[in-house]
Amino acid sequence: MNLNDLSFTKEWTLFLDRDGVISLKLPDDYVMRWEDFRFLEGVLEAMAVFSKIFGRIILVSNQQGVGKGLMSEESLEMIDFRMRQDIAGAGGRIDASYYSTHLASQNHPDRKPGTGMGLKAKATFPEIDFSKSVMVGDSASDMEFGKKLGMLTVLITDEDIKDELVAFCFDSLRNFANQCGQPMTT
């Protein structure tokens, strides 16, 4: 399958992971304060492009730092609010954010690769068709989440991965946006 063969329209939904896709992932740590949050290069421009293409843009992110007691739900909500504010200020949008604050050891259905966050998004937005949805993430659990729901999967990585869970690989959200629509200027 070639990405150029696909025609993304407003009938499509874009699901995005946060850390490692939208923002810098802190190795062996959590983004616990807005001051620690850093947009990856080109993300704000990419989000503006996606907002013109996709009917819905949904954020789905595991955030077990809350479950571990390292940060509060209020801190997570404040980071989400500020992130969405900056994205909107740059001409983009996120229609809804879903977070799983459960520990990995709990195997909670909301925690990716479980499908709970996707099912909650569909309950809120019944027009979502998973066969016309794209999951963009940087981990195997993101790809598994997308595949379980029947989505097209896009892995953000510097490596060229050949895996049945991964439909496409891009080294950044910016480069994926360039392939989806009108090229972005530098």
Side-chain angles (χ1 to χ4, degrees), residues 15-68:
F15 284 82
L16 298 167
D17 181 43
R18 192 188 81 182
D19 301 331
V21 174
I22 291 176
S23 63
L24 182 66
K25 184 181 253 180
L26 301 177
D28 302 318
D29 203 358
Y30 302 95
V31 174
M32 295 183 271
R33 304 171 308 140
W34 176 248
E35 294 75 23
D36 300 328
F37 185 96
R38 300 282 179 272
F39 283 104
L40 292 170
E41 187 177 337
V43 163
L44 292 173
E45 297 87 355
M47 294 303 292
V49 169
F50 293 141
S51 293
K52 293 174 187 165
I53 297 171
F54 292 94
R56 292 278 177 219
I57 300 174
I58 309 292
L59 183 109
V60 287
S61 180
N62 291 339
Q63 293 292 324
Q64 74 172 349
V66 175
K68 289 182 174 182

Side-chain angles (χ1 to χ4, degrees), residues 69-131:
L70 300 173
M71 64 186 291
S72 66
E73 290 220 25
E74 293 76 25
S75 295
L76 179 61
E77 289 168 7
M78 178 54 73
I79 292 167
D80 184 73
F81 175 79
R82 295 281 303 270
M83 174 191 68
R84 289 171 70 167
Q85 214 175 23
D86 284 2
I87 288 170
R93 73 175 198 287
I94 292 177
D95 296 302
S97 299
Y98 297 90
Y99 291 98
S100 173
T101 58
H102 302 91
L103 300 174
S105 61
Q106 292 175 308
N107 285 331
H108 195 279
D110 282 353
R111 185 175 168 80
K112 292 179 290 184
T115 58
M117 289 187 282
L119 298 175
K120 285 180 179 179
K122 179 139 176 75
T124 303
F125 304 105
E127 70 275 12
I128 290 175
D129 176 352
F130 291 126
S131 71

